[in-house]
Amino acid sequence: MAAGVLLVTAGAGLTGQVRRLCALAGSGCEVERESSALRGMWRQAGLVLVGDDLVAAVAAAGLPRRERVFVVTESRPDAACWNAALSMGARRVLTLPEDQSDLVDELRAAESPDRARGRLVGVIGGCGGAGASTLASGLALTASATWPTVLIDGDPLGGGLDVLLGAEAAAGLRWGDLAGTRGRLDPAAFAEALCQVGGIALLAWGMSMEPAGGATERRGTGELVAPAVVGAVIDAAVQAFGAVVVDLPRVAGPVDDPFLDALDATVLVVPAEVRAVAATASLIGAIGGRLTAPHLVVRESGSGLAARDVAASLGLELVAVLRHEQSVQTAGQRGDLPLRRGRGALAQTCEAVLASLDAPAMAR
């Protein structure tokens, strides 16, 4: 199949329900009753629905991760169903008929005309304090000179990109506002609602005040949003923006998993220090198979360790070296933008990284 909806189930009742909803959405539906026959059509389908009767077999089949996979069931899903859905990267488990309106939304989205898709790039530090948030911000600001760009804070337990950029008080949508979201987000409305800072859109975790009016911060936690919400954000972002830059956490959780599965490329930031290289090797050992198209940036540290030796030790291709720049460090402490007028070491590094990412493909 070249596109459309693929349903994987041997259940007659579930097949009937899905076919009816596909008809409502104006979608074609191809049914496959054997999980062993999926490999040839898994990537080609616009959307994949896996019945709870075959979800364990599909999860065990070792199929590549892909977007727009949902598990469908006619009864309350049990723990085994949830575990299998999570292991294969399904966005949601939909119970029919209760969730039929959400499924119809997804079916219509799969059948809508293709739109130009923005490039989704993740930035992750090989160790704590590597400077990934600063580089992610710099990449977004650099990309915004050419493409509509959004910077997404993917680390719910971090210090906050809004704090880094001095945008704590800026009006606009935060992750917490999306916690109860169900179904798809309208790309144009999503983009319009976001914070704006330095010519880029920003989705941050934000801050709330104590009931008594005190100024105690309550940064976001991963429990605020479900993977389905993250998936909806990804879909809206890549449709609304030419460049989507995500600051990823080093600790696995419900927020970073959907991002890792959807990335077009990953930028790995590593200080030129022995312990940082060791920490990065541990990170690669844990999630290296999910780091799509990794690009290595080595940050100079004055240790004497050469960037090329860092790259050789990690087995990654070096795309840029980030030199120390006092003005960037000062800007981070003050909540100022790390880039000004496109000059300096950070600006040069960001330009080199974007060039290595085949940046023209990001154009809408």
Side-chain angles (χ1 to χ4, degrees):
M1 64 186 304
V5 178
L6 171 64
L7 171 63
V8 186
T9 183
L14 193 57
T15 299
Q17 287 207 61
V18 171
R19 284 193 183 279
R20 176 179 61 82
L21 296 175
C22 284
L24 287 174
S27 305
C29 180
E30 182 168 336
V31 181
E32 177 55 57
R33 294 173 175 81
E34 297 289 338
S35 61
S36 58
L38 288 178
R39 193 165 295 274
M41 58 185 79
W42 181 255
R43 282 288 194 187
Q44 299 176 31
L47 180 145
V48 176
L49 303 174
V50 181
D52 59 331
D53 58 320
L54 293 180
V55 66
V58 172
L63 297 166
R65 293 269 181 152
R66 54 153 293 157
E67 298 180 50
R68 287 189 172 180
V69 177
F70 299 83
V71 174
V72 287
T73 175
E74 293 183 283
S75 58
R76 185 180 181 85
D78 57 19
C81 178
W82 280 109
N83 289 337
L86 288 171
S87 70
M88 71 179 185
R91 181 170 298 175
R92 285 185 63 186
V93 176
L94 298 168
T95 303
L96 301 179
E98 290 90 338
D99 295 325
Q100 65 179 14
S101 62
D102 290 346
L103 179 52
V104 170
D105 284 344
E106 297 293 345
L107 292 168
R108 286 174 175 159
E111 289 298 312
S112 62
D114 290 339
R115 302 180 184 181
R117 181 185 184 277
R119 194 80 178 272
L120 182 62
V121 178
V123 183
I124 187 169
C127 64
S133 296
T134 298
L135 181 60
S137 301
L139 284 174
L141 290 164
T142 303
S144 70
T146 307
W147 308 283
T149 301
V150 61
L151 174 62
I152 297 178
D153 193 346
D155 187 356
L157 301 179
L161 291 182
D162 53 343
V163 175
L164 179 65
L165 301 177
E168 304 101 307
L173 194 70
R174 301 301 204 274
W175 274 112
D177 300 316
L178 298 169
T181 299
R182 296 193 62 176
R184 299 175 62 237
L185 294 170
D186 178 81
F190 170 74
E192 182 69 23
L194 291 172
C195 303
Q196 301 292 321
V197 54
I200 62 173
L202 172 66
L203 179 60
W205 292 96
M207 180 181 80
S208 64
M209 307 298 284
E210 290 286 359
T216 301
E217 287 191 2
R218 292 180 175 176
R219 305 307 302 177
T221 69
E223 297 175 355
L224 282 177
V225 295
V229 176
V230 182
V233 165
I234 292 170
D235 280 348
V238 297
Q239 291 182 67
F241 297 93
V244 182
V245 181
V246 184
D247 183 21
L248 293 167
R250 297 182 69 251
V251 179
V255 176
D256 68 298
D257 276 353
F259 279 122
L260 286 173
D261 293 338
L263 290 177
D264 294 304
T266 312
V267 179
L268 192 61
V269 190
V270 184
E273 301 169 357
V274 173
R275 289 189 65 197
V277 174
T280 304
S282 296
L283 176 69
I284 293 173
I287 63 170
R290 301 181 66 191
L291 295 178
T292 303
H295 290 63
L296 177 64
V297 173
V298 174
R299 180 168 63 81
E300 289 185 343
S301 65
S303 68
L305 186 61
R308 63 178 179 274
D309 293 332
V310 174
S313 177
L314 296 173
L316 297 175
E317 181 180 355
L318 178 67
V319 299
V321 176
L322 180 57
R323 302 190 310 275
H324 175 72
E325 191 171 8
Q326 183 59 45
S327 61
V328 172
Q329 184 175 344
T330 302
Q333 295 297 324
R334 294 177 175 176
D336 294 333
L337 298 181
L339 287 182
R340 292 194 179 277
R341 296 182 294 278
R343 295 200 298 264
L346 178 59
Q348 293 172 6
T349 297
C350 291
E351 290 169 359
V353 170
L354 289 175
S356 75
L357 293 171
D358 187 23
M362 297 166 68
R364 296 185 61 75

